[in-house]
Amino acid sequence: MWGWNQTSLEDFILQGLFDESFNHLCLFLLIMLVFLTAVSGNSLTILLICADPHLHTPMYFLLSQLSLMDLMHVSTTIPKMATNYLSGKKSISFVGCATQHFMYLSLGGAECVLLALMSYDRYVAICHPLRYTVLMSRSVGVMMAVMSWLSASVNSLIHTSILMSFPFCGSRIIQHFYCEYPAVVKLVCGDVTLYEITVYICSVVLLLLPIILVSTSYGFILHSVMQMRSAGSKRNAFATCSSHLIVVSLWYGACMFSYMRPRSQRTPFQDKVGSVFYSIITPTLNPLIYTLRNKDVAKALKRVLRRDIFA
C-alpha cells in the first residue's frame, strides 16, 4: 500500500501546447498576448465596478464576480504553461496537479451557476422593473455570488479528491497543457467506468440546469420585449441582454463540447482546442463584450478617466 502511495505521488509530465519550432513560438507569443488582454480587461472591469458608484448595483456586482472568476481561471493554467515552455521543464507535482484541477473545476462550475443567476437578474429587471430593488436587493446579489462559489467549490473538492485518490501507473504524461479531468483520468490504472458515468451526470446537471434557467428567463424576457410599445425601450432591453447572451453562448457551448462528448469520440487535440477556447479565449472576450456593448460600463470608464485626468 505504501509503495502504491509513493508511486501515485510522483510528478506528472504536462505535454503542453507547443514544441520548439518557430511557428509554435509565434503561437506562444499570441497566447501570452491574449492572456495579458484577459488579465488587464477583467482587472479593469473589477476596478471600474468598485470605483464608480453608478455601477454599485446587483447586476454589476455579479459582473464583477464573473470577471474575478475569469481572472482566476486564466491565472490557474496559463502561467504554469508559460513557465514550463520557457524553462524547458514539463513536470508538475502531484499536489500542484490536484490544486490546478480543483481550481479550474471550481471556477468553471461557479461560472456556470453565476451566468444562470445573471439571466434571472435580467429577467427581473425587464419583466418586473418596479419590483427590481425588492427582488434583487444587495443581499440577494451577495447570496447569489456565495451560492455560485460555494456549490462549485464543494463539487470540485469531491471530484478532485476522488480522482486523485485513484492509483496512477505506467506513463504519467498528461496529453494536455494543464491538469484537466479528461486528460488526467486516462492515466488511472483500474476500472473508472462508474466514476466516469458519475462525472458525466454531474456535468449534465451543472450545464443543462443552468441552460434551462437561462432559456426560461430569456423566453419571458423576449415575450415582455415584444409587448413593449416604445422602440427605444426595445433597443435598450436588447442591448442590455445581448452582451449576456453572447457570453452565455460562448461559455456553455465550449463546456458542452469539452465535457458532454462520449470518451470514444475524444481526441487529445480536440480536448486542447476546447480547453483553449473556454479557459483562454472566453475569459478574454467577456470583458471586451461587456465593455464595448454596455453603455453603463463605457460611461463609467469615461468618468473614471476624466476624474483621474482632472484630479
Side-chain angles (χ1 to χ4, degrees):
M1 183 69 174
W2 173 251
W4 173 86
N5 285 335
Q6 288 288 89
T7 303
S8 294
L9 291 174
E10 291 177 4
D11 290 355
F12 293 98
I13 303 298
L14 291 172
Q15 187 185 54
L17 281 175
F18 314 107
D19 56 31
E20 297 180 357
S21 67
F22 177 76
N23 289 340
H24 278 218
L25 174 61
C26 294
L27 285 175
F28 170 75
L29 294 175
L30 178 61
I31 290 291
M32 293 311 298
L33 179 62
V34 172
F35 169 71
L36 293 175
T37 303
V39 170
S40 57
N42 285 292
S43 299
L44 179 61
T45 302
I46 295 170
L47 291 174
L48 273 178
I49 293 172
C50 292
D52 194 295
H54 295 86
L55 300 183
H56 292 177
T57 64
M59 171 186 170
Y60 290 107
F61 170 72
L62 295 177
L63 176 57
S64 70
Q65 295 300 299
L66 179 67
S67 292
L68 179 60
M69 291 172 186
D70 284 338
L71 180 61
M72 294 177 66
H73 205 146
V74 293
S75 300
T76 298
T77 57
I78 305 305
K80 178 61 178 175
M81 187 255 322
T83 302
N84 282 3
Y85 178 75
L86 293 173
S87 66
K89 298 179 181 178
K90 296 186 176 183
S91 63
I92 183 171
S93 68
F94 179 88
V95 174
C97 187
T99 302
Q100 198 176 61
H101 184 275
F102 169 77
M103 290 298 296
Y104 99 82
L105 200 58
S106 295
L107 295 164
E111 191 155 339
C112 284
V113 177
L114 185 67
L115 286 172
L117 296 176
M118 288 174 73
S119 70
Y120 172 77
D121 170 78
R122 293 299 82 212
Y123 158 73
V124 175
I126 293 174
C127 298
H128 304 284
L130 299 179
R131 301 177 60 194
Y132 182 79
T133 55
V134 176
L135 296 176
M136 279 300 301
S137 62
R138 179 173 296 183
S139 59
V140 172
V142 172
M143 185 175 65
M144 284 181 169
V146 171
M147 185 189 308
S148 302
W149 285 101
L150 189 59
S151 60
S153 296
V154 171
N155 175 71
S156 178
L157 180 62
I158 293 172
H159 283 296
T160 302
S161 300
I162 296 174
L163 176 61
M164 303 311 287
S165 67
F166 285 122
F168 298 96
C169 52
S171 172
R172 299 179 75 86
I173 300 175
I174 298 175
Q175 305 289 326
H176 215 300
F177 62 97
Y178 69 95
C179 292
E180 191 178 25
Y181 161 77
V184 176
V185 76
K186 291 178 181 178
L187 304 183
V188 174
C189 48
D191 186 12
V192 291
T193 304
L194 181 60
Y195 176 63
E196 287 186 306
I197 293 173
T198 304
V199 171
Y200 185 80
I201 293 172
C202 290
S203 300
V204 169
V205 171
L206 202 59
L207 286 171
L208 290 190
L209 286 184
I211 288 174
I212 291 171
L213 178 57
V214 170
S215 302
T216 303
S217 297
Y218 277 100
F220 284 115
I221 289 172
L222 183 62
H223 181 263
S224 296
V225 170
M226 290 295 102
Q227 292 181 332
M228 292 179 180
R229 296 181 179 179
S230 169
S233 298
K234 289 184 179 181
R235 280 197 303 270
N236 290 335
F238 279 122
T240 302
C241 296
S242 60
S243 300
H244 183 248
L245 270 177
I246 293 171
V247 170
V248 164
S249 301
L250 290 173
W251 177 258
Y252 287 129
C255 289
M256 290 176 70
F257 176 80
S258 294
Y259 287 95
M260 294 186 66
R261 288 177 299 137
R263 185 177 182 179
S264 59
Q265 297 180 12
R266 293 176 178 273
T267 66
F269 176 76
Q270 290 176 340
D271 287 340
K272 288 180 182 180
V273 170
S275 297
V276 165
F277 195 85
Y278 78 77
S279 66
I280 303 175
I281 305 301
T282 303
T284 305
L285 292 177
N286 286 356
L288 296 177
I289 291 169
Y290 275 108
T291 302
L292 295 175
R293 298 182 63 88
N294 191 299
K295 293 181 180 179
D296 291 337
V297 176
K299 289 178 180 177
L301 178 59
K302 292 178 181 178
R303 282 193 296 267
V304 171
L305 292 175
R306 192 181 303 119
R307 187 173 60 198
D308 291 341
I309 291 173
F310 295 104

